[in-house]
Amino acid sequence: MASVASNREHMFSAVSSSARQIFQLLRCISFASKVQVQITKDGLRFAAEESQVMQGMVFLDSALFQTYTYVPVHNDGGVDGEEEQDVPTFQISLSSLLETLQIFGLNDIKDRWSARDPFYGGVSGSMSRGGSAAAFDNRVLGMAGICRLSYSGIGEPLCIILEETGVTTTCELVTYEPELQADIPLQKNALAQKIIMRASWLYDAIVELSSTSPTRLTIVASPTAPYFTLSSTGPLGSATVEFSKDPQLLETFQVPRRTVNTYKYSLIKGASRAMSMATKVSIRGDEQGVLSLQFMIEVEGGGVSFVDFRFVAFILEEGEGDEEDGDNETNVIDTDD
């Protein structure tokens, strides 16, 4: 658990015994060059965006750190007033942050699941996916040491100090004005579907569908069979993965009526790193077609962290969906087998 220590020099400071778990979680949203950081008393929130149609968010709970100190600045300029200023928010280079966190690691090291991951340069072999527990095993992935984070205030850099076997490295990352205006809205009080399943099954489905070099992914959820279907469409044809309603397959299945939404396949594929690490995924969609994929990832010490992706659906022209369904050759993969 995190402890609170008095630190008047920095607005924020935290110490983690493992740079690896921070690196692994943030790498889940490495589809963007910059990430927006928000500091709160409960933890750090990192958000990345792609063309206002995809967002990835990682929350590092204060409990993930050995110590976590946040001293908000108040409107009177001190720290003992009654009115707080806005929560500190800024942007940094995500690629620079990731390079810094792995400075004591091995650049060419492969994750256990990369042997079967076509999206991140894996090669075929006998090793299976290691799972989220293996993802944070320093003995496997070669990154240990102490990681210290600190931030002094608006306009100041984010300071990262890494310590391992007597070697200390200090990096200061330039902070920028925040650009993200708001999260892609998910109407939680008007959900059209909520499905919880093992993340590995969703990952395997996305990998299967990649065989047609797809450009689009259509998600169909229905209260009657077929209950949950993923279909891809691309220049090499189309493919479909169907999931049964078996409670051992779909842990939660709340679909009051049939919904059909289409998304850009490459954006969904951008969440595959989180899919490969997570134990479970919550698949939610609202009546506007916004899709939320929330991944539960186990971390060191038996805790969990959540990585949330949101996607905006295509607005198909009249007759476009019917044409795709009728003209392309379809390969159906039934998950009951």
Side-chain angles (χ1 to χ4, degrees):
M1 294 293 293
S3 62
V4 178
S6 177
N7 190 331
R8 300 295 184 178
E9 182 179 359
H10 301 295
M11 174 186 296
F12 157 76
S13 64
V15 178
S16 172
S17 60
S18 173
R20 185 65 191 186
Q21 66 178 358
I22 301 175
F23 172 83
Q24 284 285 58
L25 291 170
L26 292 180
R27 194 169 59 160
C28 291
I29 58 172
S30 59
F31 60 86
S33 60
K34 288 185 179 181
V35 65
Q36 187 155 299
V37 184
Q38 188 177 68
I39 303 174
T40 71
K41 63 181 178 62
D42 298 317
L44 300 175
R45 184 180 186 271
F46 296 81
E49 180 187 80
E50 175 66 31
S51 303
Q52 297 183 337
V53 295
M54 174 185 182
Q55 284 183 347
M57 292 159 280
V58 174
F59 183 73
L60 301 182
D61 194 280
S62 60
L64 293 177
F65 299 88
Q66 289 180 312
T67 63
Y68 186 96
T69 304
Y70 171 54
V71 184
V73 176
H74 296 72
N75 287 332
D76 59 3
V79 295
D80 297 321
E82 296 182 355
E83 297 183 1
E84 295 184 7
Q85 290 184 340
D86 293 337
V87 173
T89 304
F90 53 87
Q91 282 195 336
I92 57 174
S93 168
L94 180 55
S95 58
S96 297
L97 175 59
L98 293 176
E99 289 177 7
T100 299
L101 291 173
Q102 66 172 343
I103 198 167
F104 288 129
L106 302 178
N107 293 330
D108 59 348
I109 200 159
K110 299 294 183 182
D111 299 341
R112 282 191 174 189
W113 58 81
S114 65
R116 52 191 296 232
D117 189 344
F119 301 143
Y120 295 99
V123 295
S124 59
S126 60
M127 291 196 303
S128 62
R129 185 188 294 113
S132 58
F136 299 99
D137 191 337
N138 290 322
R139 295 171 299 176
V140 173
L141 298 173
M143 288 180 66
I146 301 297
C147 176
R148 303 179 187 273
L149 306 174
S150 63
Y151 176 70
S152 298
I154 298 176
E156 297 296 325
L158 177 66
C159 182
I160 304 173
I161 301 177
L162 299 172
E163 302 175 7
E164 183 180 20
T165 60
V167 178
T168 300
T169 301
T170 301
C171 300
E172 292 187 344
L173 300 183
V174 176
T175 58
Y176 304 92
E177 290 289 331
E179 296 179 0
L180 301 184
Q181 299 300 318
D183 295 342
I184 295 176
L186 177 70
Q187 298 178 342
K188 297 181 180 180
N189 58 346
L191 291 180
Q193 67 185 45
K194 180 179 180 181
I195 299 170
I196 298 177
M197 61 189 296
R198 285 178 56 181
S200 59
W201 289 332
L202 178 62
Y203 174 86
D204 290 339
I206 297 298
V207 171
E208 292 285 352
L209 295 175
S210 67
S211 61
T212 61
S213 299
T215 56
R216 294 187 176 188
L217 177 72
T218 298
I219 300 178
V220 181
S222 173
T224 59
Y227 299 99
F228 185 51
T229 303
L230 304 179
S231 301
S232 63
T233 305
L236 301 182
S238 62
T240 299
V241 177
E242 295 180 356
F243 292 89
S244 70
K245 198 181 177 182
D246 188 335
Q248 294 184 349
L249 185 64
L250 302 181
E251 179 181 316
T252 298
F253 186 81
Q254 299 175 4
V255 181
R257 54 186 171 79
R258 188 174 186 268
T259 61
V260 181
N261 289 291
T262 299
Y263 306 89
K264 190 173 182 179
Y265 179 85
S266 61
L267 297 182
I268 303 296
K269 185 183 71 174
S272 58
R273 191 182 296 279
M275 292 181 203
S276 67
M277 292 173 56
T279 54
K280 293 183 180 182
V281 57
S282 173
I283 305 169
R284 297 175 295 172
D286 65 16
E287 295 179 351
Q288 301 300 318
V290 173
L291 174 67
S292 167
L293 300 179
Q294 186 178 63
F295 298 96
M296 185 179 75
I297 301 177
E298 296 177 355
V299 296
E300 294 175 357
V304 296
S305 284
F306 292 92
V307 180
D308 190 8
F309 289 86
R310 293 185 183 180
F311 307 89
V312 176
F314 275 120
I315 300 177
L316 299 179
E317 297 181 0
E318 184 176 356
E320 185 175 357
D322 296 336
E323 180 181 350
E324 289 183 358
D325 291 340
D327 293 347
N328 289 326
E329 178 183 357
T330 301
N331 176 28
V332 177
I333 307 163
D334 194 338
T335 57
D336 284 337
D337 295 337

